[in-house]
Amino acid sequence: MSIIVENITKTYGNQRALDAISFTINSGEIVGFLGPNGAGKSTMMKIITSYIIQTEGVVHVNGHNVAEKPMLVKQSVGYLPEHNPLYLDMYVKEYIQFSASVHNITKNRIDEVIEQVGLTLEAHKKIGQLSKGYRQRVGLAVALLHDPEVLVLDEPTTGLDPNQLVEIRSLIKEIGKTKTVLFSTHIMQEVEAVCDRVIIIDKGKIVIDKKLNELKSDKEQIIEVEFDLRVEEQLLQQLPKLLKAINIHDNIWQLTFSTSKDMRPAIFDFAHDNGLKLLQSQLKNEDLESLFRSLTK
Ligand code: ADP
Ligand code: MG
C-alpha cells in the first residue's frame, strides 16, 4: 500500500481543518481528492508530503512515517503544490535543471522528463512567457524528476482553459499508468475523466470513499430510448423498477429506474411484447455532479 492515513486531525488555532480522517491508497491507483474550497484538501496533501505536521494521527507513505522521516518521504513522493512557486525569469530547462540539482539527477533524465510532459518545444523559453497550462507542465516535470512512486498533485487543473484542461488530464492519466496518484480538484467531472476512485471531503471529514463504478451503481439508472411508434405513458408502467418516464419529444423517452442492473434488455423485451421497435437505447451518464453537491452542501 502506498499511502496509509490513520485518524488524522489537524487544527489551526481552534479550527479543525481535518477531523479524524482515515484512508488508504494502493499502489497504482489514481484517486481524486474532491471537495469544495476550504474542505481540507491542501492541508491533507501537505501532511502526506511531509510539508506540515499533523496534530493527531499517523501517515505512512511507501512505508515511511511522514512525521518521522520527512526526507525519505520527499524522496519517494512527487508533489505539485497548489500555488506552485516558479521563477518567471528563469528558462524552462534552466529551472528544471536547477530543481534537479537538489536530487542526484542525470542530464538524460532531465531531457526525458521534459519530453514526457510535452515541454520539448518550450524548453528554451522563459517561464514567464508560458501559458498557465505550460507552467503546470513545468511543475509536473519537477515533481516527476526523481521518478517517485507516488504523485501528489494539488489542484493541477485549476485556472486552465478547456483545451489545457483536457491536455493536463490526459497527461495525468498517462502518468498514472505507472504511478500512484492522489490529485485534488473541486470539479466532479474531472474525477470521472481521470480517476479509478474518489474520496470526497467536506469540512475536514470524509463523506465518501468509493470506486467510481460503485458510486455510479449506487444511484438510479437513466436510459434514453426511442421507439418507432408513439407510446402511452400508461403502457411504459409495465417496465419493472420504473420510477419515472419523461417524454423528451415524439417517440423519445427518458426512463429512470430504481436499480443498478442494466435495464436495456428489459426495455427491448417490452418493445417486442408490445409490437414496438426499439430504435435506440442509451445509458445516460449518472449525474455525479449533483451527488457531489448534495453531499457537500
Ligand atoms: P482546501 O485545499 O480544500 O481548499 P485547505 O486545506 O487549504 O482547504 O484549508 C482547510 C481549512 O483550513 C480552511 O478553512 C483554511 O482557511 C484553513 N487553513 C489552511 N491553512 C491554514 C493556516 N496555515 N492557518 C490557518 N488556517 C488554515
Ligand atoms: Mg487547496
Side-chain angles (χ1 to χ4, degrees), residues 18 45 55 63 76-77 109 124 128-129 164 189 232 265 285 292 297:
L18 297 174
M45 291 180 139
T55 311
S76 64
V77 177
R109 176 64 189 158
H124 300 290
Q129 296 172 321
Q164 294 171 337
Q189 288 99 317
E232 292 304 322
N285 221 349
F292 171 55
K297 245 204 287 271

Side-chain angles (χ1 to χ4, degrees), residues 123-277:
H124 300 290
K125 289 187 184 163
K126 278 198 173 173
I127 293 176
Q129 296 172 321
L130 302 182
S131 65
K132 170 95 183 162
Y134 276 88
R135 287 183 198 182
Q136 282 300 60
R137 290 175 196 242
V138 175
L140 269 176
V142 170
L144 287 168
L145 268 177
H146 54 303
D147 199 19
E149 264 173 70
V150 175
L151 271 186
V152 175
L153 312 173
D154 198 353
E155 304 220 13
T157 61
T158 298
L160 302 186
D161 73 32
N163 290 330
Q164 294 171 337
L165 252 176
V166 172
E167 288 168 16
I168 296 290
R169 280 180 192 165
S170 60
L171 187 55
I172 294 172
K173 230 178 156 161
E174 187 59 37
I175 293 167
K177 286 182 182 161
T178 55
K179 298 194 184 299
T180 308
V181 180
L182 176 64
F183 86 96
S184 67
T185 171
H186 53 269
I187 307 165
M188 185 72 208
Q189 288 99 317
E190 185 136 297
V191 173
E192 286 191 83
V194 182
C195 299
D196 316 319
R197 186 176 137 203
V198 62
I199 297 176
I200 303 183
I201 77 164
D202 186 37
K203 302 183 191 81
K205 287 194 157 87
I206 292 182
V207 289
I208 271 197
D209 177 354
K210 278 214 162 123
K211 294 229 185 285
L212 273 196
N213 51 8
E214 291 170 15
L215 194 59
K216 288 183 183 176
S217 62
D218 272 359
K219 299 197 51 232
E220 294 165 354
Q221 181 183 168
I222 300 169
I223 300 175
E224 198 173 284
V225 293
E226 182 177 6
F227 299 107
D228 62 333
L229 300 170
R230 233 187 106 70
V231 182
E232 292 304 322
E233 191 173 341
Q234 184 74 31
L235 193 64
L236 290 167
Q237 299 303 326
Q238 290 178 9
L239 284 163
K241 308 260 186 201
L242 185 75
L243 280 181
K244 209 166 48 178
I246 300 169
N247 193 203
I248 308 273
H249 62 83
D250 295 340
N251 305 329
I252 300 181
W253 290 82
Q254 194 189 76
L255 307 174
T256 305
F257 296 91
S258 59
T259 173
S260 59
K261 193 181 130 208
D262 188 351
M263 294 306 283
R264 285 172 296 181
I267 298 171
F268 187 87
D269 291 343
F270 160 85
H272 180 261
D273 293 349
N274 289 282
L276 298 161
K277 286 198 177 71

